[in-house]
Amino acid sequence: MNIHPWQGGLWKQLMDAPEKLPHALLLTGPAGLGKQDFALAMAACLLCEAPQTAATGGPAACGECCSCSWLAAGNHPDFRLVQPDAAEETAETESDSDAVTKTTNKTRQGKAVGVATSMARVGTGSGTLRIEQIRELTDFVFVGSHRQGRRIVVLEPAEAMTPAAANALLKVLEEPPASVCFILISHAWRRLLPTIRSRCRIVNFGQPDPRQAAAWLKAAGIKEAESVLQLAGGAPLLARNWAQQDMLPVYRKALEPLLQPGNDPVAMAQKWSALLKADSAFDLAQLVDIVQKWLADLIQMTLADSLRYHRDPAWQKALQAQAKRSNAAALLAFDRELRRIRGVARHPLNTQLFLEDMAARYLRATVAR
Ligand SMILES: [Zn+2]
């Protein structure tokens, strides 16, 4: 597992002196920046029996020793990756607006989608980490190392812990067993217990330089790299995931009712409804996410005359026109409302009504003046 080109600085900071690493790290930042890949690369490097010097400088796992082979095979005795069980998915831990969107493993248009495992659950924000999972971990960390070396625990996403699980983990972090390194990953660190945060060294993953990220996407064979990167809020792995799932055409279609909203919420809702029916891999939660991003840009355009996601000239023009007749307070109120109904979007009682309601609220906020 390699780190990404935009992570070289952080890697150097942490890994140049691995013996000085604290017993708990908290990797924070929006989803789609490659925090999990980074954590797994750290684990591989710390467990490796013969670390090499990476081309970019700093140590790297050799990829050949017993430890590296076990890790690749998923059966290293001194490593644990703790994630929500896929089957346990619930809407309990709604993701924040930055921990953008749902990523799916569904097949779009018959194409097999090679989504990296690291992205399979990043950003869904659903599923919880249960207390039983932390208890199993306690057994692991308090029993001695199998190989007289370090033991590594990667836990992701930390905000998915139930309160009971978080308290159980806190007890472990309060009296950390020697030679165990916890790497917690969070896309929404504010939701963590302050007592957990204070026991970890916080490593903040900022947004990569857009040119570097776009170059990385192009090298991965992604077309329209700049556009898709912008829509993904500058998160390269999320952008890659979308491109591989052919999300861009769907995204554009989902925006059409917002570009020319007219004044009929039922007509807007029908367009969205047709899109959802035509594409089984596109769901309501993703649509709400797109509306949320559009709204975020509309608010930014109204208040600060700038944009984050939709810099395509046609979109920009529509946003400018709508910003002129929108009311900032109404937009902000709609934004709060959308955050509230996000959870419902996973299991709406009546999709058509949900869409009409969302359209009506949008129209009220944009023609309020
Ligand atoms: Zn190795």
Side-chain angles (χ1 to χ4, degrees):
M1 181 58 72
N2 293 319
I3 58 162
H4 298 291
W6 54 90
Q7 298 173 331
L10 280 180
W11 183 261
K12 225 173 135 34
Q13 253 177 46
L14 292 168
M15 297 301 286
D16 264 1
E19 68 284 355
K20 288 189 188 147
L21 282 176
H23 66 87
L25 292 166
L26 174 60
L27 314 186
T28 64
L33 299 181
K35 297 190 294 298
Q36 197 196 61
D37 291 342
F38 188 91
L40 296 179
M42 271 188 84
C45 191
L46 292 170
L47 292 169
C48 179
E49 288 158 11
Q52 316 277 301
T53 305
T56 48
C62 74
E64 286 166 8
C65 67
C66 286
S67 175
C68 285
S69 314
W70 284 334
L71 210 54
N75 56 9
H76 199 301
D78 292 325
F79 174 76
R80 291 285 185 280
L81 173 63
V82 188
Q83 288 181 306
D85 297 333
E88 286 265 317
E89 295 213 349
T90 66
E92 251 177 78
T93 51
E94 172 199 342
S95 54
D96 72 342
S97 66
D98 275 341
V100 227
T101 82
K102 199 166 146 68
T103 54
T104 72
N105 279 324
K106 287 176 202 164
T107 303
R108 178 176 288 282
Q109 294 170 356
K111 266 189 256 168
V113 178
V115 181
T117 49
S118 60
M119 282 303 294
R121 285 183 204 145
V122 167
T124 60
S126 54
T128 51
L129 286 167
R130 295 164 294 113
I131 185 163
E132 293 79 10
Q133 290 173 284
I134 304 298
R135 284 205 187 113
E136 281 167 25
L137 204 57
T138 325
D139 294 342
F140 165 71
V141 296
F142 286 107
V143 175
S145 154
H146 285 76
R147 324 198 70 225
Q148 279 75 48
R150 280 180 204 266
R151 276 157 300 156
I152 315 277
V153 175
V154 174
L155 188 144
E156 185 264 353
E159 62 272 19
M161 282 186 287
T162 62
N167 278 311
L169 180 70
L170 184 60
K171 286 210 180 79
V172 182
L173 293 181
E174 275 167 351
E175 284 176 58
S179 76
V180 177
C181 180
F182 288 90
I183 307 176
L184 276 53
I185 298 174
S186 176
H187 318 300
W189 61 271
R190 286 183 188 83
R191 292 218 302 265
L192 297 179
L193 284 181
T195 37
I196 287 196
R197 278 166 13 206
S198 69
R199 303 242 162 226
C200 301
R201 171 155 157 208
I202 295 181
V203 183
N204 188 28
F205 284 61
Q207 219 170 65
D209 174 69
R211 277 164 307 183
Q212 194 180 28
W216 177 81
L217 286 168
K218 281 178 194 160
I222 305 296
K223 296 192 187 91
E224 300 188 81
E226 282 88 0
S227 299
V228 71
L229 184 65
Q230 267 169 26
L231 291 177
L237 274 76
L238 188 63
R240 184 184 65 183
N241 201 10
W242 280 6
Q244 284 172 339
Q245 294 182 46
D246 252 342
M247 265 294 282
L248 212 50
V250 187
Y251 197 117
R252 293 203 167 107
K253 273 209 151 37
L255 281 185
E256 277 170 19
L258 297 170
L259 274 163
Q260 289 177 327
N263 54 12
D264 181 0
V266 178
M268 280 175 82
Q270 269 163 359
K271 283 185 197 158
W272 280 328
S273 170
L275 187 60
L276 289 167
K277 279 185 191 136
D279 191 334
S280 62
F282 181 62
D283 66 22
L284 191 56
Q286 287 171 308
L287 174 65
V288 171
D289 194 72
I290 291 171
V291 174
Q292 235 175 352
K293 284 207 178 106
W294 179 263
L295 184 67
D297 266 354
L298 192 51
I299 291 171
Q300 204 168 315
M301 182 57 92
T302 307
L303 298 176
D305 198 23
S306 66
L307 291 172
R308 180 169 176 203
Y309 303 105
H310 304 91
R311 294 196 200 130
D312 178 288
W315 292 341
Q316 195 164 343
K317 218 170 130 200
L319 282 162
Q320 273 162 343
Q322 289 183 37
K324 281 195 189 113
R325 49 171 207 269
S326 298
N327 172 309
L331 290 176
L332 290 167
F334 179 44
D335 184 50
R336 279 194 299 275
E337 194 58 22
L338 265 186
R339 283 166 198 269
R340 197 182 62 76
I341 63 175
R342 260 176 88 105
V344 184
R346 291 200 179 89
H347 313 280
L349 289 175
N350 182 325
T351 305
Q352 192 61 30
L353 274 184
F354 181 97
L355 293 173
E356 285 174 19
D357 181 55
M358 185 162 74
R361 287 171 197 271
Y362 182 80
L363 291 177
R364 274 204 297 279
T366 50
V367 293
R369 195 168 280 174

